[in-house]
Amino acid sequence: MPRAILCILDSVGIGGAPDAEKYGDQGSNTFGHIAEWAADGRADRQGLRHGPLHVPNMDAMGLGAAIQLSSGTVPPGLSAVAKRGRFGVGREVSKGKDTPSGHWEIAGVPVPFDWGYFPQSEPTFPPKLIAEFIQRAKLPGILGDKHASGTEIIAALGEESIRTGKPICYTSIDSVFQIAADESHFGLDRLYEICEIAFELTKPLMIGRVIARPFIGEDATSFKRTGNRRDFAIAPPEPTLLDRNKAAGNQVYAIGKISDIYAGQGVTHKIKGTGIPQLFDKTLEALEMAADRAFIMTNFVDFDSEYGHRRDVPGYAAALELFDGLLPQMISKLRHDDLLVLTADHGNDPTWPGTDHTREQVPILVFSPSLSQGEIGIRSTFADIGESIAHWLGLSPGRHGVSFL
């Protein structure tokens, strides 16, 4: 009986979105620009790495061919020929370029509404919202109240936060309200508690997520975010692929931040993990436990959070090679009728101005020992991914998207 594994390589976009100009992202290409940087010799001269980007396993699944289909050019070191499985390109129809939009659409539910966003002005958050948040959460006040990079604002305000007991509140171009506090001094449970209060207050504004951003350390030189991040998210407006598979009596393994993104809906097994190797290992463990018709979904967040937002090109390149080197372990454990899908939820080009996501198309790489080779073209919605997995698992078709299997 079939099973399906869906790996979201968070932010590994491949350029070519027809509406990128609307978002100020025309010309962005996360994977393509990283590959060009690795191959042009600058990285070698600076001692950052040696040689072109090396991802032979994803390339064999059709990554180079998918990028050529999306942006018209094969990146250096990759091939235009897929050696196994099927490849194609996903095009998002949901508005925005944030995590919930991409993930919900991948799971068969395009976002039918506009998210709420906070302005670029400072202070950023509505005074009435902050006043009620401070009162209900019994806080001495907040720090931040602006658009910021998480690591930078923690470095700048972390010591004051520890000294005063005030959490750091900030946002980005995405529909988020983020709250950072020290795990030891402020307390992890206390951070989660005030995030729940903030979520209640921001939900009417259609802010997609309130994110708890715990960190540890005693000063700016030692502060480090931990793996205890938690997203408090608005629930999808209709049943996703996760809900549909659970309703059919099947297992749904949500690994990494997947459960948070879907507000816990449709999940039978929630598994946390930190870092690409651990998340990969957790996925393999789920595969060992998974029964017939199980659906396993993993978000590999480090591409986005550790390297994309930080505009760390060498770090992003190394992470891609790390994941690619692990991939044969997963392929070797697939049963004859298992399906493996690799894709992404948006872009985050580390060579692009700013620190935010980029509107891009995404690769769709599909493999099963029982599946023939071929091209699936440019799909008109990410929802085709969810519908293809639903078809593989024997579920009835959903309202959005068409299977390419």
Side-chain angles (χ1 to χ4, degrees), residues 189-203:
D189 289 340
R190 173 67 170 145
L191 176 57
Y192 293 159
E193 176 189 342
I194 69 170
C195 284
E196 287 192 90
I197 293 170
F199 178 68
E200 292 177 14
L201 296 173
T202 58
K203 188 175 181 180

Side-chain angles (χ1 to χ4, degrees), residues 197-217:
I197 293 170
F199 178 68
E200 292 177 14
L201 296 173
T202 58
K203 188 175 181 180
L205 302 177
M206 294 307 296
I207 301 301
R209 290 176 294 162
V210 172
I211 305 177
R213 292 286 195 177
F215 62 92
I216 55 174

